[in-house]
Amino acid sequence: YAPGQGPRAMFIVLQFQDVLDTSASLYALPEGLDFDEGQALVDLLNPARMAVVISTDNVKRLLLPAELPEAHVAIFAPKGDVVSDEPGFWMVCSDGAASLPPLQAAAAACETGAGRLVLTWGGFSFALLVMLAVFLSNWRSSIYLSVVKEATQPAGPARSGPRAEAQHVLTAAIEHTIPERGVKVSAGGLGKVLDQMLKEHPKGTLSLVHPMFGDVDYGDLDKYKEFTVVVDGKPQTVVVYTLSSEFNGVHRNWYLLSHEF
């Protein structure tokens, strides 16, 4: 900063450290700046912070005060060329010291920001109009809410005449559960369906066919039979194990298939 000639340079201090700075600091001033020894400079951001120009070894230096915060920013300018910027606590260059033209880059940034703001409000308005159009086009629609309070016994479709109850139902799936053995194999949502089916199936016989998984402990099983099938042109031996249980009048038979591949 050249006295009386407007800002040629300002001394800016950026400091970051872990502890409070308890010692003063010296900074060499650039050549060509006409500062007198003993001249005072003030921090524009904190007018209570002062610095002074001293001369050591024919080099002018700026002596900064001690007890600076751990992290701070300071901008020093000659005390006689700054005034308070009311009602703020900071200071700015006085009218006689500098008259800076507006930055072209800043003006362009403002114009760009205004354009982006128009696009933002335009997009928001368009989305609002779309939502309003959707609501208006479906104003006659109704929403029905079904509240399930407790489990109900499943019933077959209504038909005329006597209804024959199913005596034996066969189901096969990869997912399976055996409540008595603590076995639960699930590869999706079907495992939960099987749990519900085992609890609420109508009375009768329910046969369930599932593949065995090597990392599952099925406990002791009865060997039912062994047979050979051809898969991809190669013979494959399948061993069938079985176990049975009864729950709520449903006789449940599991047929577990064990094979190499």
Side-chain angles (χ1 to χ4, degrees):
Y1 189 97
Q5 300 179 15
R8 288 168 51 194
M10 282 194 178
F11 191 77
I12 302 176
V13 178
L14 302 175
Q15 182 170 336
F16 301 92
Q17 53 190 32
D18 297 332
V19 296
L20 186 68
D21 188 359
T22 58
S23 60
S25 303
L26 275 176
Y27 293 90
L29 295 176
E31 296 182 0
L33 298 180
D34 187 17
F35 286 113
D36 298 326
E37 186 173 1
Q39 185 174 356
L41 283 80
V42 63
D43 183 3
L44 299 182
L45 304 180
N46 185 0
R49 185 182 297 153
M50 302 288 293
V52 64
V53 178
I54 65 173
S55 179
T56 59
D57 300 329
N58 295 324
V59 177
K60 291 184 179 180
R61 305 177 188 273
L62 189 66
L63 177 64
L64 267 63
E67 305 296 338
L68 294 178
E70 293 85 343
H72 65 274
V73 177
I75 303 176
F76 289 97
K79 185 177 180 181
D81 294 330
V82 296
V83 294
S84 297
D85 188 21
E86 300 294 343
F89 63 87
W90 53 85
M91 304 188 77
V92 295
C93 298
S94 59
D95 293 338
S99 179
L100 296 178
L103 296 178
Q104 298 299 325
C110 293
E111 294 177 0
T112 303
R116 291 178 179 176
L117 185 61
V118 170
L119 292 177
T120 300
W121 279 107
F124 177 77
S125 302
F126 177 75
L128 187 61
L129 290 175
V130 171
M131 293 176 59
L132 184 61
V134 171
F135 281 116
L136 291 177
S137 61
N138 296 276
W139 70 276
R140 292 187 177 181
S141 301
S142 301
I143 299 177
Y144 297 93
L145 181 63
S146 177
V147 180
V148 179
K149 296 183 178 179
E150 60 182 7
T152 57
Q153 189 71 17
R159 55 170 293 177
S160 59
R163 179 176 180 270
E165 297 290 339
Q167 300 298 317
H168 192 169
V169 176
L170 173 67
T171 181
I174 296 177
E175 298 89 342
H176 56 277
T177 177
I178 307 176
E180 291 84 348
R181 302 291 177 91
V183 173
K184 187 176 182 63
V185 176
S186 179
L190 185 57
K192 297 180 180 180
V193 176
L194 288 175
D195 283 339
Q196 198 71 11
M197 183 177 67
L198 292 175
K199 295 176 182 178
E200 301 190 19
H201 197 275
K203 294 180 180 180
T205 300
L206 181 61
S207 296
L208 304 109
V209 182
H210 308 294
M212 296 181 67
F213 284 74
D215 58 345
V216 177
D217 183 11
Y218 291 91
D220 295 331
L221 300 171
D222 296 329
K223 185 175 180 180
Y224 178 65
K225 67 169 54 179
E226 181 177 326
F227 57 91
T228 301
V229 296
V230 177
V231 179
D232 293 336
K234 297 181 180 180
Q236 182 78 245
T237 300
V238 180
V239 181
V240 183
Y241 296 92
T242 183
L243 65 95
S244 301
S245 70
E246 189 168 345
F247 181 80
N248 286 344
V250 181
H251 187 66
R252 305 179 296 188
N253 299 318
W254 280 274
Y255 297 93
L256 305 174
L257 311 181
S258 175
H259 47 86
E260 184 177 0
F261 300 104

